[in-house]
Amino acid sequence: SQELEQSPQSLIVQEGKNLTINCTSSKTLYGLYWYKQKYGEGLIFLMMLQKGGEEKSHEKITAKLDEKKQQSSLHITASQPSHAGIYLCGAVSANQAGTALIFGKGTTLSVSS
Amino acid sequence: EAQVTQNPRYLITVTGKKLTVTCSQNMNHEYMSWYRQDPGLGLRQIYYSMNVEVTDKGDVPEGYKVSRKEKRNFPLILESPSPNQTSLYFCASKLAGGREQYFGPGTRLTVT
């Protein structure tokens, strides 16, 4: 079965610093989602990447998909306290006609002011 | 407002007492799914439904039941809850051909 590994597991950065979170898949990625979750709350969709080499940005968050490496990275520029939370990558499962999502275990981001 | 709603948001119950967590979406989505989130294990799929009257097991279905009698509703049923079902539960939905999966706000369940 496919697995997603996120690194690092947790991250503490000073406000204004840049950071990168990685998501590596054990199998070829056919679609990679990034979600953000405030502790104990629902998931907020950030972006989805589908094509190798694809890059998308939303405000100060940029995500890239490298299909050859079966990896995606999420980069936050000039971090702010509002960026704090749990970042989850999700991949379209090969099962269920491509409708299921499997998730990494998440990266907890803390931003100190 | 397009949304997925779950009720209750918080529930404390005792072992063996049947309970139902409701999930409803107002976006006419065909696909609905239930996940549970546990520390160190991440999000894992319990059951999913491709459309009305079509349901199937996810990765961790043991101890759970679901039904899909209407397109908008997808309740999660715990016939005899046990402490290992203490978790944060999320319902999600999407269009059959859509990309984005919309998540509900979560239900925090504690079974004592």
Side-chain angles (χ1 to χ4, degrees):
Chain A
S1 62
Q2 187 173 14
E3 293 184 353
L4 296 178
E5 184 173 335
Q6 287 185 237
S7 61
Q9 286 186 330
S10 62
L11 192 56
I12 302 173
V13 299
Q14 194 172 17
E15 184 176 356
K17 297 294 186 182
N18 302 336
L19 64 105
T20 299
I21 298 169
N22 293 305
C23 176
T24 302
S25 172
S26 60
K27 295 185 179 181
T28 301
L29 289 164
Y30 294 101
L32 191 287
Y33 294 76
W34 283 101
Y35 284 87
K36 179 186 175 184
Q37 183 184 21
K38 290 286 189 182
Y39 180 74
E41 298 182 8
L43 279 66
I44 300 168
F45 174 79
L46 295 176
M47 57 194 84
M48 183 205 175
L49 306 166
Q50 212 164 19
K51 300 176 182 177
E54 187 175 7
E55 180 175 322
K56 288 187 177 179
S57 294
H58 175 68
E59 297 178 346
K60 293 186 178 180
I61 301 175
T62 300
K64 301 178 184 179
L65 176 62
D66 183 342
E67 266 187 15
K68 289 184 179 179
K69 293 184 178 180
Q70 300 178 179
Q71 185 177 58
S72 178
S73 60
L74 184 85
H75 184 78
I76 298 177
T77 303
S79 59
Q80 301 170 354
S82 61
H83 287 128
I86 302 170
Y87 289 82
L88 293 158
C89 64
V92 176
S93 170
N95 298 327
Q96 301 180 27
T99 53
L101 287 181
I102 57 169
F103 288 90
K105 294 180 181 178
T107 296
T108 300
L109 172 63
S110 302
V111 180
S112 61
S113 54
Chain B
E1 180 189 356
Q3 60 182 350
V4 179
T5 56
Q6 295 179 227
N7 282 292
R9 293 289 314 279
Y10 303 91
L11 179 60
I12 300 174
T13 189
V14 296
T15 299
K17 186 177 181 181
K18 181 179 179 180
L19 66 93
T20 299
V21 183
T22 64
C23 173
S24 183
Q25 50 91 7
N26 61 1
M27 297 169 279
N28 203 35
H29 287 171
E30 293 85 6
Y31 180 88
M32 298 186 74
S33 178
W34 276 103
Y35 295 88
R36 60 178 289 174
Q37 185 177 36
D38 303 287
L41 297 176
L43 275 157
R44 295 175 294 168
Q45 190 181 53
I46 304 170
Y47 267 95
Y48 67 95
S49 170
M50 301 289 281
N51 213 324
V52 176
E53 302 292 358
V54 181
T55 63
D56 209 344
K57 298 177 180 179
D59 295 323
V60 287
E62 294 78 21
Y64 304 95
K65 290 174 64 176
V66 293
S67 69
R68 189 87 183 275
K69 297 178 181 177
E70 304 169 284
K71 198 172 187 178
R72 65 182 292 124
N73 297 322
F74 190 45
L76 179 69
I77 304 158
L78 284 73
E79 294 272 3
S80 182
S82 62
N84 64 13
Q85 293 179 297
T86 292
S87 186
L88 179 59
Y89 291 87
F90 289 102
C91 179
S93 73
K94 68 184 286 291
L95 285 170
R99 292 185 172 186
E100 182 178 347
Q101 195 158 150
Y102 295 79
F103 283 81
T107 295
R108 185 167 292 282
L109 172 65
T110 301
V111 183
T112 61

